[in-house]
Amino acid sequence: MTQAARNVFVASRLPKRAGVSGWVATLASRTPRPALNGSVIADVAIIGGGFAGLSAARRISRLDPGVRVAILEAGVVGEGPAGANSGFIIDLPHEVSSDDFSGESEARFRQSVLIQRSAIALASEMAAENGWGKDIFDPCGRYSVAISAEGDKHLEDYAQQLSKMGEAHRLLTLREIRAVTGSPVYTSGLFTPGTVIVQPAAYIRGVADCLKEPVALYERTPALSFERLGTGWFVKTPQGSVQAAKIIMANNGHAESFGFFRGRLLHVFTYASLTEEFDPSRLDGERKWAATPALPMGTTVRRIGTSGGDRILVRSRYSYNPGIEISDAAIRRAGRLHDSKFSQRFPTLGGVRMQYRWAGAMALTRNHVPAFGEIERGVFAACGCNGLGASNSTASGIAAAELALGHESELGRVYTRLAAPTALPPQPFTTIGAKAHLAYREWRAGPE
């Protein structure tokens, strides 16, 4: 008898941390919320305390402040994939494939903008309410940067598409982008003002700590299983249980660990390194900026200015890991690539070393749609971020909360119209294909 037939869903594995995120390591210590010890009753149980889960809880509390919510976070808030994020809450799609940018491509663009700006609206509301400074939440926009003729061409083409859509942007020449970054390597840039840059671990902590009763957060409390109980659900944890009318699965790729979306999620890790502090006078340009690559799967770079000195974040390298865990050796291998890209982009910073290295898990679908919707009666999924986790996961959490509470919105209508994730090829073809595709995309990005 299958799990679905028995209405019992048991986790086959639990999340594991992939290195120590520099975002977490550079923050002051925080006392986690206590683990669940005993039995509680809630209207909604949320499995996962990252961007999706905490955003869902926030949206529920705004729609109906009386709804009792129990959030079950397997680890410590901010120390999972959310705290490994690069911190871009992006408002525009990275690229649009249509040359003439009409018809279906334009509709997809508008849909993507709606999804991502819904995430920014929720985040902006919380930042204003809680008085978060720019060290946590900074609506400063982002740069896309090129270091090749192909990258320059891509930015020029994308700027034309943005003009057709009436979206604000500014192309930067070699001299102008050098004045921003201090790097002699970048050949052009494209600035778009709508992106919010966050310190992801601090942001996620802030969201968690601003939630109020009757929303309860339990850290170091993995959901081990859940089963049908009357018209609701009974969730087991190591030291307790939650009886809830509804469940929101906000655990991204680990939804598959409970038997959902099997054969439909690609588990991919991306890697980052963060330097030690250095004297700001060693690098020209602005002391705080954030840049994504002109070509997909290139190198993301951020400069972070602090009172003790500046740091540079480098994110690059992707790997397919169907077991949703990676080795320390994989992080070290990616780190060697980061060192090379760092020294190429910032030759004046010779001798500056990377202090922290880590990886973050993503869940991708073959047809680039979220793993979303009511997957069992009273169980709602907000998974399959497809990258852009800060934006897409936040929006999925909002939409799942609205669906669970029966609230209609434009965002919700967009999500309910999306196709379901398509099936992946059987093994070993999925593994062969995924690894080949990632290798090709990284090769295609070239020096970017």
Side-chain angles (χ1 to χ4, degrees):
M1 186 179 292
T2 66
Q3 283 187 329
R6 293 185 290 116
N7 282 316
V8 177
F9 303 89
V10 180
S12 60
R13 57 196 167 191
L14 297 176
K16 295 183 179 180
R17 194 167 67 175
V20 178
S21 165
W23 298 121
V24 176
T26 55
L27 287 177
S29 61
R30 166 186 171 273
T31 302
R33 301 281 183 93
L36 177 59
N37 189 358
S39 300
V40 297
I41 296 176
D43 298 303
V44 181
I46 298 176
I47 299 176
F51 284 105
L54 296 178
S55 299
R58 164 71 180 193
R59 185 61 177 143
I60 289 171
S61 69
R62 300 293 284 181
L63 289 172
D64 187 343
V67 173
R68 298 166 297 175
V69 178
I71 308 168
L72 305 178
E73 167 53 39
V76 174
V77 163
E79 294 186 7
N85 191 278
S86 292
F88 292 73
I89 311 183
I90 292 176
D91 69 322
L92 296 171
H94 276 310
E95 61 176 344
V96 180
S97 58
S98 173
D99 291 334
D100 63 1
F101 200 59
S102 61
E104 185 180 355
S105 291
E106 181 175 337
R108 287 200 305 269
F109 182 97
R110 294 294 189 197
Q111 178 176 286
S112 178
V113 168
L114 171 66
I115 289 171
Q116 291 163 208
R117 287 182 177 163
S118 295
I120 289 174
L122 182 100
S124 299
E125 183 181 73
M126 288 186 290
E129 283 182 10
N130 295 282
W132 294 338
K134 291 186 177 181
D135 56 327
I136 299 176
F137 181 94
D138 190 355
C140 60
R142 71 173 168 114
Y143 297 91
S144 294
V145 290
I147 63 174
S148 67
E150 185 178 5
D152 295 337
K153 181 65 165 55
H154 181 87
L155 293 185
E156 291 169 4
D157 290 346
Y158 189 47
Q160 291 179 7
Q161 294 168 347
L162 293 178
S163 293
K164 292 177 182 178
M165 298 303 294
E167 294 289 348
H169 65 281
R170 180 167 63 92
L171 276 170
L172 287 81
T173 64
L174 180 151
R175 180 177 296 179
E176 289 171 326
I177 195 62
R178 185 171 297 181
V180 172
T181 65
S183 171
V185 172
Y186 296 126
T187 53
S188 66
L190 174 67
F191 177 73
T192 49
T195 291
V196 171
I197 304 299
V198 299
Q199 205 286 27
Y203 171 84
I204 284 294
R205 285 184 180 185
V207 178
D209 292 340
C210 76
L211 295 172
K212 297 178 176 61
E213 291 291 342
V215 177
L217 167 64
Y218 302 97
E219 298 182 56
R220 297 187 175 122
T221 304
L224 302 179
S225 66
F226 58 92
E227 59 187 280
R228 174 70 65 187
L229 181 65
T231 59
W233 295 91
F234 182 77
V235 186
K236 293 182 180 179
T237 70
Q239 303 296 328
S241 63
V242 180
Q243 184 176 332
K246 298 174 182 178
I247 293 173
I248 294 177
M249 302 283 289
N251 52 351
N252 210 12
H254 276 283
E256 188 176 310
S257 302
F258 287 87
F260 297 104
F261 305 110
R262 280 183 175 164
R264 296 175 187 272
L265 298 178
L266 287 167
H267 305 288
V268 173
F269 280 80
T270 186
Y271 300 80
S273 296
L274 185 67
T275 69
E276 62 192 1
E277 292 179 333
F278 60 86
D279 183 344
S281 67
R282 295 189 60 185
L283 181 63
D284 292 336
E286 299 175 4
R287 290 192 60 194
K288 184 177 183 181
W289 49 268
T292 52
L295 298 178
M297 298 187 70
T299 303
T300 293
V301 180
R302 283 183 61 174
R303 182 174 180 177
I304 304 105
T306 70
S307 58
D310 290 5
R311 297 179 188 267
I312 296 287
L313 170 91
V314 177
R315 189 192 74 177
S316 187
R317 179 80 176 97
Y318 295 82
S319 65
Y320 171 62
N321 302 85
I324 323 184
E325 60 180 277
I326 58 169
S327 65
D328 291 339
I331 296 176
R332 289 194 296 269
R333 286 194 297 272
R336 290 192 287 271
L337 176 65
H338 297 162
D339 292 344
S340 173
K341 290 179 177 291
F342 173 72
S343 62
Q344 176 198 22
R345 285 160 172 76
F346 305 104
T348 65
L349 297 180
V352 174
R353 298 181 178 180
M354 294 296 177
Q355 187 173 2
Y356 305 104
R357 302 191 194 274
W358 68 95
M362 300 186 294
L364 314 180
T365 61
R366 190 179 185 183
N367 53 335
H368 311 293
V369 297
F372 178 85
E374 189 168 11
I375 50 179
E376 286 284 323
R377 182 163 53 89
V379 179
F380 305 86
C383 304
C385 66
N386 285 289
L388 298 183
S391 304
N392 289 343
S393 292
T394 295
S396 289
I398 296 169
E402 293 178 349
L403 185 61
L405 267 60
H407 175 81
E408 291 191 6
S409 71
E410 188 177 1
L411 176 68
R413 286 187 286 273
V414 165
Y415 268 87
T416 55
R417 288 196 301 264
L418 292 172
T422 54
L424 300 169
Q427 293 290 6
F429 300 107
T430 289
T431 295
I432 295 170
K435 290 185 175 181
H437 182 70
L438 289 174
Y440 170 75
R441 292 294 295 273
E442 289 187 321
W443 172 83
R444 181 71 178 77
E448 300 292 342

